[in-house]
PDB file of all heavy atoms in Angstrom:
ATOM      1  N   TYR V 218     -31.748  12.534 -11.375  1.00 97.00           N
ATOM      2  CA  TYR V 218     -31.880  13.862 -11.865  1.00 97.00           C
ATOM      3  C   TYR V 218     -33.086  14.398 -10.913  1.00 97.00           C
ATOM      4  O   TYR V 218     -34.108  13.840 -10.613  1.00 97.00           O
ATOM      5  CB  TYR V 218     -32.487  14.079 -13.348  1.00 97.00           C
ATOM      6  CG  TYR V 218     -31.489  13.649 -14.258  1.00 97.00           C
ATOM      7  CD1 TYR V 218     -31.621  12.538 -15.082  1.00 97.00           C
ATOM      8  CD2 TYR V 218     -30.273  14.329 -14.370  1.00 97.00           C
ATOM      9  CE1 TYR V 218     -30.607  12.113 -15.975  1.00 97.00           C
ATOM     10  CE2 TYR V 218     -29.242  13.978 -15.271  1.00 97.00           C
ATOM     11  CZ  TYR V 218     -29.482  12.836 -16.027  1.00 97.00           C
ATOM     12  OH  TYR V 218     -28.473  12.403 -16.969  1.00 97.00           O
ATOM     13  N   ALA V 219     -32.791  15.686 -10.369  1.00 97.00           N
ATOM     14  CA  ALA V 219     -33.735  16.269  -9.471  1.00 97.00           C
ATOM     15  C   ALA V 219     -35.022  16.769 -10.147  1.00 97.00           C
ATOM     16  O   ALA V 219     -35.045  17.280 -11.249  1.00 97.00           O
ATOM     17  CB  ALA V 219     -33.090  17.493  -8.858  1.00 97.00           C
ATOM     18  N   ARG V 220     -36.122  16.559  -9.449  1.00 96.00           N
ATOM     19  CA  ARG V 220     -37.464  16.901  -9.917  1.00 96.00           C
ATOM     20  C   ARG V 220     -38.210  17.740  -9.009  1.00 96.00           C
ATOM     21  O   ARG V 220     -37.998  17.506  -7.725  1.00 96.00           O
ATOM     22  CB  ARG V 220     -38.170  15.655 -10.390  1.00 96.00           C
ATOM     23  CG  ARG V 220     -37.496  14.863 -11.371  1.00 96.00           C
ATOM     24  CD  ARG V 220     -38.248  13.611 -11.700  1.00 96.00           C
ATOM     25  NE  ARG V 220     -39.360  13.997 -12.777  1.00 96.00           N
ATOM     26  CZ  ARG V 220     -39.257  13.971 -14.067  1.00 96.00           C
ATOM     27  NH1 ARG V 220     -38.072  13.777 -14.597  1.00 96.00           N
ATOM     28  NH2 ARG V 220     -40.192  14.244 -14.764  1.00 96.00           N
ATOM     29  N   ALA V 221     -39.032  18.659  -9.396  1.00 95.00           N
ATOM     30  CA  ALA V 221     -39.928  19.436  -8.587  1.00 95.00           C
ATOM     31  C   ALA V 221     -41.114  18.631  -8.101  1.00 95.00           C
ATOM     32  O   ALA V 221     -41.307  17.580  -8.656  1.00 95.00           O
ATOM     33  CB  ALA V 221     -40.396  20.701  -9.443  1.00 95.00           C
ATOM     34  N   PRO V 222     -41.772  19.183  -7.175  1.00 94.00           N
ATOM     35  CA  PRO V 222     -43.004  18.322  -6.651  1.00 94.00           C
ATOM     36  C   PRO V 222     -43.937  18.010  -7.824  1.00 94.00           C
ATOM     37  O   PRO V 222     -44.588  16.970  -7.634  1.00 94.00           O
ATOM     38  CB  PRO V 222     -43.649  19.291  -5.655  1.00 94.00           C
ATOM     39  CG  PRO V 222     -42.446  20.133  -5.133  1.00 94.00           C
ATOM     40  CD  PRO V 222     -41.592  20.257  -6.285  1.00 94.00           C
ATOM     41  N   ASP V 223     -44.152  18.812  -8.830  1.00 93.00           N
ATOM     42  CA  ASP V 223     -44.951  18.534  -9.943  1.00 93.00           C
ATOM     43  C   ASP V 223     -44.334  17.583 -10.974  1.00 93.00           C
ATOM     44  O   ASP V 223     -44.971  17.252 -12.007  1.00 93.00           O
ATOM     45  CB  ASP V 223     -45.494  19.711 -10.632  1.00 93.00           C
ATOM     46  CG  ASP V 223     -44.277  20.485 -11.316  1.00 93.00           C
ATOM     47  OD1 ASP V 223     -43.186  20.069 -11.334  1.00 93.00           O
ATOM     48  OD2 ASP V 223     -44.706  21.506 -11.971  1.00 93.00           O
ATOM     49  N   GLY V 224     -43.111  17.053 -10.690  1.00 93.00           N
ATOM     50  CA  GLY V 224     -42.472  16.168 -11.595  1.00 93.00           C
ATOM     51  C   GLY V 224     -41.622  16.763 -12.623  1.00 93.00           C
ATOM     52  O   GLY V 224     -40.853  15.959 -13.298  1.00 93.00           O
ATOM     53  N   ALA V 225     -41.604  18.027 -12.795  1.00 94.00           N
ATOM     54  CA  ALA V 225     -40.755  18.730 -13.725  1.00 94.00           C
ATOM     55  C   ALA V 225     -39.316  18.549 -13.376  1.00 94.00           C
ATOM     56  O   ALA V 225     -38.929  18.638 -12.269  1.00 94.00           O
ATOM     57  CB  ALA V 225     -41.229  20.075 -13.965  1.00 94.00           C
ATOM     58  N   LEU V 226     -38.448  18.421 -14.328  1.00 95.00           N
ATOM     59  CA  LEU V 226     -37.076  18.434 -14.071  1.00 95.00           C
ATOM     60  C   LEU V 226     -36.580  19.873 -13.527  1.00 95.00           C
ATOM     61  O   LEU V 226     -37.054  20.962 -14.012  1.00 95.00           O
ATOM     62  CB  LEU V 226     -36.276  18.195 -15.423  1.00 95.00           C
ATOM     63  CG  LEU V 226     -36.150  16.801 -15.916  1.00 95.00           C
ATOM     64  CD1 LEU V 226     -35.620  16.829 -17.194  1.00 95.00           C
ATOM     65  CD2 LEU V 226     -35.298  15.940 -14.939  1.00 95.00           C
ATOM     66  N   ILE V 227     -35.870  19.859 -12.468  1.00 96.00           N
ATOM     67  CA  ILE V 227     -35.363  21.030 -11.992  1.00 96.00           C
ATOM     68  C   ILE V 227     -34.173  21.493 -12.764  1.00 96.00           C
ATOM     69  O   ILE V 227     -33.296  20.724 -13.153  1.00 96.00           O
ATOM     70  CB  ILE V 227     -34.878  20.898 -10.453  1.00 96.00           C
ATOM     71  CG1 ILE V 227     -36.147  20.649  -9.618  1.00 96.00           C
ATOM     72  CG2 ILE V 227     -34.042  22.061  -9.964  1.00 96.00           C
ATOM     73  CD1 ILE V 227     -35.740  20.370  -8.104  1.00 96.00           C
ATOM     74  N   ASN V 228     -33.998  22.797 -13.136  1.00 97.00           N
ATOM     75  CA  ASN V 228     -33.097  23.349 -13.908  1.00 97.00           C
ATOM     76  C   ASN V 228     -32.223  24.480 -13.296  1.00 97.00           C
ATOM     77  O   ASN V 228     -32.412  25.596 -13.643  1.00 97.00           O
ATOM     78  CB  ASN V 228     -33.570  23.809 -15.225  1.00 97.00           C
ATOM     79  CG  ASN V 228     -32.639  24.228 -16.247  1.00 97.00           C
ATOM     80  OD1 ASN V 228     -31.461  23.828 -16.106  1.00 97.00           O
ATOM     81  ND2 ASN V 228     -32.953  24.908 -17.285  1.00 97.00           N
ATOM     82  N   ASP V 229     -31.448  24.085 -12.214  1.00 97.00           N
ATOM     83  CA  ASP V 229     -30.727  24.964 -11.507  1.00 97.00           C
ATOM     84  C   ASP V 229     -29.374  25.325 -12.164  1.00 97.00           C
ATOM     85  O   ASP V 229     -28.580  26.126 -11.714  1.00 97.00           O
ATOM     86  CB  ASP V 229     -30.397  24.498 -10.065  1.00 97.00           C
ATOM     87  CG  ASP V 229     -31.551  24.510  -9.266  1.00 97.00           C
ATOM     88  OD1 ASP V 229     -32.509  25.318  -9.503  1.00 97.00           O
ATOM     89  OD2 ASP V 229     -31.649  23.648  -8.246  1.00 97.00           O
ATOM     90  N   THR V 230     -29.191  24.744 -13.411  1.00 97.00           N
ATOM     91  CA  THR V 230     -28.011  24.869 -14.122  1.00 97.00           C
ATOM     92  C   THR V 230     -28.081  25.665 -15.465  1.00 97.00           C
ATOM     93  O   THR V 230     -27.028  26.056 -15.962  1.00 97.00           O
ATOM     94  CB  THR V 230     -27.416  23.451 -14.436  1.00 97.00           C
ATOM     95  OG1 THR V 230     -28.343  22.766 -15.397  1.00 97.00           O
ATOM     96  CG2 THR V 230     -27.277  22.612 -13.141  1.00 97.00           C
ATOM     97  N   GLY V 231     -29.281  25.793 -15.880  1.00 96.00           N
ATOM     98  CA  GLY V 231     -29.467  26.443 -17.220  1.00 96.00           C
ATOM     99  C   GLY V 231     -29.157  25.447 -18.343  1.00 96.00           C
ATOM    100  O   GLY V 231     -29.180  25.877 -19.447  1.00 96.00           O
ATOM    101  N   CYS V 232     -29.032  24.211 -18.060  1.00 97.00           N
ATOM    102  CA  CYS V 232     -28.642  23.198 -19.036  1.00 97.00           C
ATOM    103  C   CYS V 232     -29.739  22.116 -19.263  1.00 97.00           C
ATOM    104  O   CYS V 232     -29.583  21.066 -19.897  1.00 97.00           O
ATOM    105  CB  CYS V 232     -27.330  22.477 -18.655  1.00 97.00           C
ATOM    106  SG  CYS V 232     -25.974  23.645 -18.471  1.00 97.00           S
ATOM    107  N   GLY V 233     -30.846  22.288 -18.553  1.00 96.00           N
ATOM    108  CA  GLY V 233     -32.030  21.373 -18.779  1.00 96.00           C
ATOM    109  C   GLY V 233     -32.229  20.332 -17.649  1.00 96.00           C
ATOM    110  O   GLY V 233     -33.313  19.963 -17.545  1.00 96.00           O
ATOM    111  N   ASN V 234     -31.209  19.968 -16.915  1.00 97.00           N
ATOM    112  CA  ASN V 234     -31.457  19.072 -15.858  1.00 97.00           C
ATOM    113  C   ASN V 234     -30.453  19.447 -14.705  1.00 97.00           C
ATOM    114  O   ASN V 234     -29.519  20.170 -14.910  1.00 97.00           O
ATOM    115  CB  ASN V 234     -31.239  17.653 -16.334  1.00 97.00           C
ATOM    116  CG  ASN V 234     -29.896  17.216 -16.766  1.00 97.00           C
ATOM    117  OD1 ASN V 234     -28.916  17.571 -16.168  1.00 97.00           O
ATOM    118  ND2 ASN V 234     -29.889  16.621 -18.010  1.00 97.00           N
ATOM    119  N   THR V 235     -30.698  18.821 -13.590  1.00 98.00           N
ATOM    120  CA  THR V 235     -29.738  19.049 -12.398  1.00 98.00           C
ATOM    121  C   THR V 235     -29.671  17.667 -11.699  1.00 98.00           C
ATOM    122  O   THR V 235     -30.619  16.984 -11.387  1.00 98.00           O
ATOM    123  CB  THR V 235     -30.406  20.119 -11.512  1.00 98.00           C
ATOM    124  OG1 THR V 235     -30.598  21.252 -12.177  1.00 98.00           O
ATOM    125  CG2 THR V 235     -29.468  20.284 -10.225  1.00 98.00           C
ATOM    126  N   LEU V 236     -28.464  17.326 -11.353  1.00 98.00           N
ATOM    127  CA  LEU V 236     -28.220  16.001 -10.690  1.00 98.00           C
ATOM    128  C   LEU V 236     -28.691  16.219  -9.344  1.00 98.00           C
ATOM    129  O   LEU V 236     -28.507  17.201  -8.664  1.00 98.00           O
ATOM    130  CB  LEU V 236     -26.709  15.580 -10.790  1.00 98.00           C
ATOM    131  CG  LEU V 236     -26.344  15.027 -12.179  1.00 98.00           C
ATOM    132  CD1 LEU V 236     -24.737  14.870 -12.252  1.00 98.00           C
ATOM    133  CD2 LEU V 236     -27.015  13.583 -12.361  1.00 98.00           C
ATOM    134  N   GLU V 237     -29.226  15.143  -8.758  1.00 98.00           N
ATOM    135  CA  GLU V 237     -29.920  15.225  -7.475  1.00 98.00           C
ATOM    136  C   GLU V 237     -28.935  14.669  -6.380  1.00 98.00           C
ATOM    137  O   GLU V 237     -28.861  13.514  -6.104  1.00 98.00           O
ATOM    138  CB  GLU V 237     -31.168  14.249  -7.442  1.00 98.00           C
ATOM    139  CG  GLU V 237     -31.884  14.247  -6.166  1.00 98.00           C
ATOM    140  CD  GLU V 237     -32.263  15.490  -5.572  1.00 98.00           C
ATOM    141  OE1 GLU V 237     -31.442  16.149  -4.837  1.00 98.00           O
ATOM    142  OE2 GLU V 237     -33.352  15.928  -5.821  1.00 98.00           O
ATOM    143  N   PHE V 238     -28.282  15.665  -5.658  1.00 98.00           N
ATOM    144  CA  PHE V 238     -27.223  15.259  -4.718  1.00 98.00           C
ATOM    145  C   PHE V 238     -27.828  14.955  -3.425  1.00 98.00           C
ATOM    146  O   PHE V 238     -27.136  14.525  -2.450  1.00 98.00           O
ATOM    147  CB  PHE V 238     -26.232  16.377  -4.605  1.00 98.00           C
ATOM    148  CG  PHE V 238     -25.167  16.259  -5.557  1.00 98.00           C
ATOM    149  CD1 PHE V 238     -25.226  16.607  -6.821  1.00 98.00           C
ATOM    150  CD2 PHE V 238     -23.853  15.603  -5.082  1.00 98.00           C
ATOM    151  CE1 PHE V 238     -24.108  16.353  -7.760  1.00 98.00           C
ATOM    152  CE2 PHE V 238     -22.843  15.367  -5.959  1.00 98.00           C
ATOM    153  CZ  PHE V 238     -22.983  15.764  -7.366  1.00 98.00           C
ATOM    154  N   ALA V 239     -29.216  14.997  -3.197  1.00 97.00           N
ATOM    155  CA  ALA V 239     -29.821  14.370  -2.067  1.00 97.00           C
ATOM    156  C   ALA V 239     -29.743  12.879  -2.166  1.00 97.00           C
ATOM    157  O   ALA V 239     -29.931  12.138  -1.138  1.00 97.00           O
ATOM    158  CB  ALA V 239     -31.183  14.933  -1.939  1.00 97.00           C
ATOM    159  N   LYS V 240     -29.506  12.257  -3.284  1.00 98.00           N
ATOM    160  CA  LYS V 240     -29.495  10.849  -3.479  1.00 98.00           C
ATOM    161  C   LYS V 240     -28.082  10.312  -3.218  1.00 98.00           C
ATOM    162  O   LYS V 240     -27.047  10.795  -3.774  1.00 98.00           O
ATOM    163  CB  LYS V 240     -29.800  10.504  -4.967  1.00 98.00           C
ATOM    164  CG  LYS V 240     -31.135  10.946  -5.511  1.00 98.00           C
ATOM    165  CD  LYS V 240     -32.254  10.165  -4.876  1.00 98.00           C
ATOM    166  CE  LYS V 240     -33.634  10.365  -5.458  1.00 98.00           C
ATOM    167  NZ  LYS V 240     -34.740   9.578  -4.952  1.00 98.00           N
ATOM    168  N   PRO V 241     -27.894   9.395  -2.312  1.00 98.00           N
ATOM    169  CA  PRO V 241     -26.628   8.853  -2.032  1.00 98.00           C
ATOM    170  C   PRO V 241     -25.829   8.275  -3.256  1.00 98.00           C
ATOM    171  O   PRO V 241     -24.656   8.430  -3.323  1.00 98.00           O
ATOM    172  CB  PRO V 241     -26.890   7.760  -0.999  1.00 98.00           C
ATOM    173  CG  PRO V 241     -28.247   8.175  -0.309  1.00 98.00           C
ATOM    174  CD  PRO V 241     -28.973   8.857  -1.411  1.00 98.00           C
ATOM    175  N   ALA V 242     -26.600   7.594  -4.165  1.00 98.00           N
ATOM    176  CA  ALA V 242     -25.959   7.131  -5.317  1.00 98.00           C
ATOM    177  C   ALA V 242     -25.326   8.186  -6.215  1.00 98.00           C
ATOM    178  O   ALA V 242     -24.269   7.937  -6.886  1.00 98.00           O
ATOM    179  CB  ALA V 242     -27.053   6.254  -6.153  1.00 98.00           C
ATOM    180  N   VAL V 243     -25.877   9.315  -6.222  1.00 98.00           N
ATOM    181  CA  VAL V 243     -25.345  10.418  -7.072  1.00 98.00           C
ATOM    182  C   VAL V 243     -23.970  10.982  -6.400  1.00 98.00           C
ATOM    183  O   VAL V 243     -23.002  11.100  -7.060  1.00 98.00           O
ATOM    184  CB  VAL V 243     -26.327  11.611  -7.185  1.00 98.00           C
ATOM    185  CG1 VAL V 243     -25.607  12.776  -7.856  1.00 98.00           C
ATOM    186  CG2 VAL V 243     -27.479  11.156  -8.052  1.00 98.00           C
ATOM    187  N   ARG V 244     -24.041  11.075  -4.980  1.00 98.00           N
ATOM    188  CA  ARG V 244     -22.902  11.517  -4.360  1.00 98.00           C
ATOM    189  C   ARG V 244     -21.755  10.428  -4.553  1.00 98.00           C
ATOM    190  O   ARG V 244     -20.502  10.752  -4.622  1.00 98.00           O
ATOM    191  CB  ARG V 244     -23.202  11.691  -2.845  1.00 98.00           C
ATOM    192  CG  ARG V 244     -24.215  12.828  -2.641  1.00 98.00           C
ATOM    193  CD  ARG V 244     -24.188  13.413  -1.228  1.00 98.00           C
ATOM    194  NE  ARG V 244     -24.484  12.369  -0.229  1.00 98.00           N
ATOM    195  CZ  ARG V 244     -25.724  11.848   0.244  1.00 98.00           C
ATOM    196  NH1 ARG V 244     -26.807  12.415  -0.343  1.00 98.00           N
ATOM    197  NH2 ARG V 244     -25.786  11.026   1.167  1.00 98.00           N
ATOM    198  N   ARG V 245     -22.141   9.167  -4.461  1.00 98.00           N
ATOM    199  CA  ARG V 245     -21.154   8.082  -4.570  1.00 98.00           C
ATOM    200  C   ARG V 245     -20.526   8.126  -5.984  1.00 98.00           C
ATOM    201  O   ARG V 245     -19.302   7.940  -6.078  1.00 98.00           O
ATOM    202  CB  ARG V 245     -21.894   6.663  -4.415  1.00 98.00           C
ATOM    203  CG  ARG V 245     -20.965   5.583  -4.200  1.00 98.00           C
ATOM    204  CD  ARG V 245     -20.109   5.697  -2.881  1.00 98.00           C
ATOM    205  NE  ARG V 245     -18.720   5.933  -3.109  1.00 98.00           N
ATOM    206  CZ  ARG V 245     -17.858   6.183  -2.093  1.00 98.00           C
ATOM    207  NH1 ARG V 245     -18.252   6.367  -0.852  1.00 98.00           N
ATOM    208  NH2 ARG V 245     -16.514   6.180  -2.359  1.00 98.00           N
ATOM    209  N   LEU V 246     -21.292   8.496  -6.996  1.00 98.00           N
ATOM    210  CA  LEU V 246     -20.737   8.579  -8.375  1.00 98.00           C
ATOM    211  C   LEU V 246     -19.668   9.717  -8.341  1.00 98.00           C
ATOM    212  O   LEU V 246     -18.584   9.420  -8.981  1.00 98.00           O
ATOM    213  CB  LEU V 246     -21.897   8.908  -9.420  1.00 98.00           C
ATOM    214  CG  LEU V 246     -21.383   9.052 -10.806  1.00 98.00           C
ATOM    215  CD1 LEU V 246     -20.559   7.959 -11.385  1.00 98.00           C
ATOM    216  CD2 LEU V 246     -22.565   9.489 -11.714  1.00 98.00           C
ATOM    217  N   MET V 247     -19.958  10.799  -7.750  1.00 98.00           N
ATOM    218  CA  MET V 247     -18.946  11.891  -7.755  1.00 98.00           C
ATOM    219  C   MET V 247     -17.639  11.413  -7.012  1.00 98.00           C
ATOM    220  O   MET V 247     -16.627  11.604  -7.430  1.00 98.00           O
ATOM    221  CB  MET V 247     -19.598  13.051  -7.157  1.00 98.00           C
ATOM    222  CG  MET V 247     -18.600  14.238  -6.937  1.00 98.00           C
ATOM    223  SD  MET V 247     -19.472  15.676  -6.208  1.00 98.00           S
ATOM    224  CE  MET V 247     -17.994  16.552  -5.564  1.00 98.00           C
ATOM    225  N   ILE V 248     -17.892  10.880  -5.833  1.00 98.00           N
ATOM    226  CA  ILE V 248     -16.770  10.546  -5.009  1.00 98.00           C
ATOM    227  C   ILE V 248     -15.915   9.439  -5.600  1.00 98.00           C
ATOM    228  O   ILE V 248     -14.728   9.517  -5.645  1.00 98.00           O
ATOM    229  CB  ILE V 248     -17.270  10.062  -3.619  1.00 98.00           C
ATOM    230  CG1 ILE V 248     -17.826  11.217  -2.945  1.00 98.00           C
ATOM    231  CG2 ILE V 248     -16.062   9.439  -2.819  1.00 98.00           C
ATOM    232  CD1 ILE V 248     -18.548  10.814  -1.529  1.00 98.00           C
ATOM    233  N   ASP V 249     -16.549   8.426  -6.245  1.00 98.00           N
ATOM    234  CA  ASP V 249     -15.671   7.360  -6.922  1.00 98.00           C
ATOM    235  C   ASP V 249     -15.008   8.025  -8.180  1.00 98.00           C
ATOM    236  O   ASP V 249     -13.899   7.506  -8.454  1.00 98.00           O
ATOM    237  CB  ASP V 249     -16.689   6.322  -7.389  1.00 98.00           C
ATOM    238  CG  ASP V 249     -17.186   5.382  -6.216  1.00 98.00           C
ATOM    239  OD1 ASP V 249     -16.509   5.437  -5.239  1.00 98.00           O
ATOM    240  OD2 ASP V 249     -18.311   4.712  -6.380  1.00 98.00           O
ATOM    241  N   THR V 250     -15.594   8.974  -8.810  1.00 98.00           N
ATOM    242  CA  THR V 250     -14.987   9.658  -9.877  1.00 98.00           C
ATOM    243  C   THR V 250     -13.768  10.297  -9.476  1.00 98.00           C
ATOM    244  O   THR V 250     -12.536  10.170 -10.015  1.00 98.00           O
ATOM    245  CB  THR V 250     -15.867  10.666 -10.578  1.00 98.00           C
ATOM    246  OG1 THR V 250     -16.958   9.959 -11.182  1.00 98.00           O
ATOM    247  CG2 THR V 250     -15.084  11.360 -11.727  1.00 98.00           C
ATOM    248  N   LEU V 251     -13.727  11.138  -8.437  1.00 98.00           N
ATOM    249  CA  LEU V 251     -12.696  11.828  -7.795  1.00 98.00           C
ATOM    250  C   LEU V 251     -11.591  10.854  -7.393  1.00 98.00           C
ATOM    251  O   LEU V 251     -10.333  11.051  -7.643  1.00 98.00           O
ATOM    252  CB  LEU V 251     -13.090  12.719  -6.634  1.00 98.00           C
ATOM    253  CG  LEU V 251     -14.165  13.761  -6.889  1.00 98.00           C
ATOM    254  CD1 LEU V 251     -14.245  14.608  -5.654  1.00 98.00           C
ATOM    255  CD2 LEU V 251     -13.903  14.591  -8.098  1.00 98.00           C
ATOM    256  N   MET V 252     -11.988   9.712  -6.716  1.00 98.00           N
ATOM    257  CA  MET V 252     -11.028   8.776  -6.258  1.00 98.00           C
ATOM    258  C   MET V 252     -10.270   8.137  -7.311  1.00 98.00           C
ATOM    259  O   MET V 252      -8.977   7.876  -7.304  1.00 98.00           O
ATOM    260  CB  MET V 252     -11.691   7.720  -5.413  1.00 98.00           C
ATOM    261  CG  MET V 252     -12.290   8.267  -4.087  1.00 98.00           C
ATOM    262  SD  MET V 252     -13.202   7.067  -2.996  1.00 98.00           S
ATOM    263  CE  MET V 252     -11.926   5.827  -2.752  1.00 98.00           C
ATOM    264  N   HIS V 253     -11.006   7.885  -8.448  1.00 98.00           N
ATOM    265  CA  HIS V 253     -10.392   7.256  -9.568  1.00 98.00           C
ATOM    266  C   HIS V 253      -9.246   8.161 -10.193  1.00 98.00           C
ATOM    267  O   HIS V 253      -8.130   7.734 -10.412  1.00 98.00           O
ATOM    268  CB  HIS V 253     -11.407   7.006 -10.627  1.00 98.00           C
ATOM    269  CG  HIS V 253     -10.833   6.851 -12.071  1.00 98.00           C
ATOM    270  ND1 HIS V 253      -9.928   5.803 -12.427  1.00 98.00           N
ATOM    271  CD2 HIS V 253     -11.042   7.578 -13.222  1.00 98.00           C
ATOM    272  CE1 HIS V 253      -9.628   5.886 -13.676  1.00 98.00           C
ATOM    273  NE2 HIS V 253     -10.164   6.984 -14.128  1.00 98.00           N
ATOM    274  N   PHE V 254      -9.569   9.432 -10.267  1.00 98.00           N
ATOM    275  CA  PHE V 254      -8.591  10.425 -10.917  1.00 98.00           C
ATOM    276  C   PHE V 254      -7.337  10.577 -10.005  1.00 98.00           C
ATOM    277  O   PHE V 254      -6.328  10.780 -10.349  1.00 98.00           O
ATOM    278  CB  PHE V 254      -9.236  11.719 -11.195  1.00 98.00           C
ATOM    279  CG  PHE V 254     -10.064  11.607 -12.593  1.00 98.00           C
ATOM    280  CD1 PHE V 254     -11.365  11.999 -12.544  1.00 98.00           C
ATOM    281  CD2 PHE V 254      -9.481  11.152 -13.675  1.00 98.00           C
ATOM    282  CE1 PHE V 254     -12.109  11.816 -13.721  1.00 98.00           C
ATOM    283  CE2 PHE V 254     -10.172  11.109 -14.860  1.00 98.00           C
ATOM    284  CZ  PHE V 254     -11.503  11.400 -14.891  1.00 98.00           C
ATOM    285  N   VAL V 255      -7.592  10.509  -8.615  1.00 98.00           N
ATOM    286  CA  VAL V 255      -6.416  10.647  -7.714  1.00 98.00           C
ATOM    287  C   VAL V 255      -5.563   9.283  -7.689  1.00 98.00           C
ATOM    288  O   VAL V 255      -4.415   9.422  -7.808  1.00 98.00           O
ATOM    289  CB  VAL V 255      -6.972  11.005  -6.292  1.00 98.00           C
ATOM    290  CG1 VAL V 255      -5.835  10.956  -5.274  1.00 98.00           C
ATOM    291  CG2 VAL V 255      -7.645  12.420  -6.329  1.00 98.00           C
ATOM    292  N   GLU V 256      -6.230   8.159  -7.622  1.00 98.00           N
ATOM    293  CA  GLU V 256      -5.454   6.992  -7.361  1.00 98.00           C
ATOM    294  C   GLU V 256      -4.926   6.503  -8.551  1.00 98.00           C
ATOM    295  O   GLU V 256      -3.790   5.813  -8.517  1.00 98.00           O
ATOM    296  CB  GLU V 256      -6.560   5.932  -6.794  1.00 98.00           C
ATOM    297  CG  GLU V 256      -6.943   6.328  -5.321  1.00 98.00           C
ATOM    298  CD  GLU V 256      -7.840   5.139  -4.807  1.00 98.00           C
ATOM    299  OE1 GLU V 256      -8.367   4.389  -5.587  1.00 98.00           O
ATOM    300  OE2 GLU V 256      -8.062   5.116  -3.581  1.00 98.00           O
ATOM    301  N   HIS V 257      -5.507   6.718  -9.732  1.00 98.00           N
ATOM    302  CA  HIS V 257      -4.969   6.097 -10.985  1.00 98.00           C
ATOM    303  C   HIS V 257      -4.254   7.115 -11.875  1.00 98.00           C
ATOM    304  O   HIS V 257      -3.680   6.742 -12.848  1.00 98.00           O
ATOM    305  CB  HIS V 257      -6.161   5.479 -11.766  1.00 98.00           C
ATOM    306  CG  HIS V 257      -6.763   4.233 -10.944  1.00 98.00           C
ATOM    307  ND1 HIS V 257      -8.090   4.134 -10.991  1.00 98.00           N
ATOM    308  CD2 HIS V 257      -6.204   3.346 -10.150  1.00 98.00           C
ATOM    309  CE1 HIS V 257      -8.389   3.031 -10.158  1.00 98.00           C
ATOM    310  NE2 HIS V 257      -7.285   2.622  -9.609  1.00 98.00           N
ATOM    311  N   CYS V 258      -4.456   8.484 -11.519  1.00 98.00           N
ATOM    312  CA  CYS V 258      -3.776   9.421 -12.406  1.00 98.00           C
ATOM    313  C   CYS V 258      -2.959  10.422 -11.646  1.00 98.00           C
ATOM    314  O   CYS V 258      -2.234  11.189 -12.198  1.00 98.00           O
ATOM    315  CB  CYS V 258      -4.917  10.207 -13.334  1.00 98.00           C
ATOM    316  SG  CYS V 258      -5.898   9.115 -14.246  1.00 98.00           S
ATOM    317  N   GLY V 259      -3.115  10.485 -10.340  1.00 98.00           N
ATOM    318  CA  GLY V 259      -2.336  11.402  -9.525  1.00 98.00           C
ATOM    319  C   GLY V 259      -2.706  12.819  -9.520  1.00 98.00           C
ATOM    320  O   GLY V 259      -1.964  13.705  -9.209  1.00 98.00           O
ATOM    321  N   ILE V 260      -4.102  13.024  -9.692  1.00 98.00           N
ATOM    322  CA  ILE V 260      -4.658  14.380  -9.754  1.00 98.00           C
ATOM    323  C   ILE V 260      -4.564  15.057  -8.426  1.00 98.00           C
ATOM    324  O   ILE V 260      -4.713  14.332  -7.324  1.00 98.00           O
ATOM    325  CB  ILE V 260      -6.107  14.330 -10.250  1.00 98.00           C
ATOM    326  CG1 ILE V 260      -6.070  13.873 -11.679  1.00 98.00           C
ATOM    327  CG2 ILE V 260      -6.703  15.785 -10.111  1.00 98.00           C
ATOM    328  CD1 ILE V 260      -5.260  14.694 -12.758  1.00 98.00           C
TER     329      ILE V 260
END
């Protein structure tokens, strides 16, 4: 989860938290999710 310099959770979504896409692991989670739905469901 993305955090501001003071440590507070960034809320760019209005939902209380924001996933940190500067982190490779977060991007990998998204990519693996999309690949799963394409390869195993034909999306």
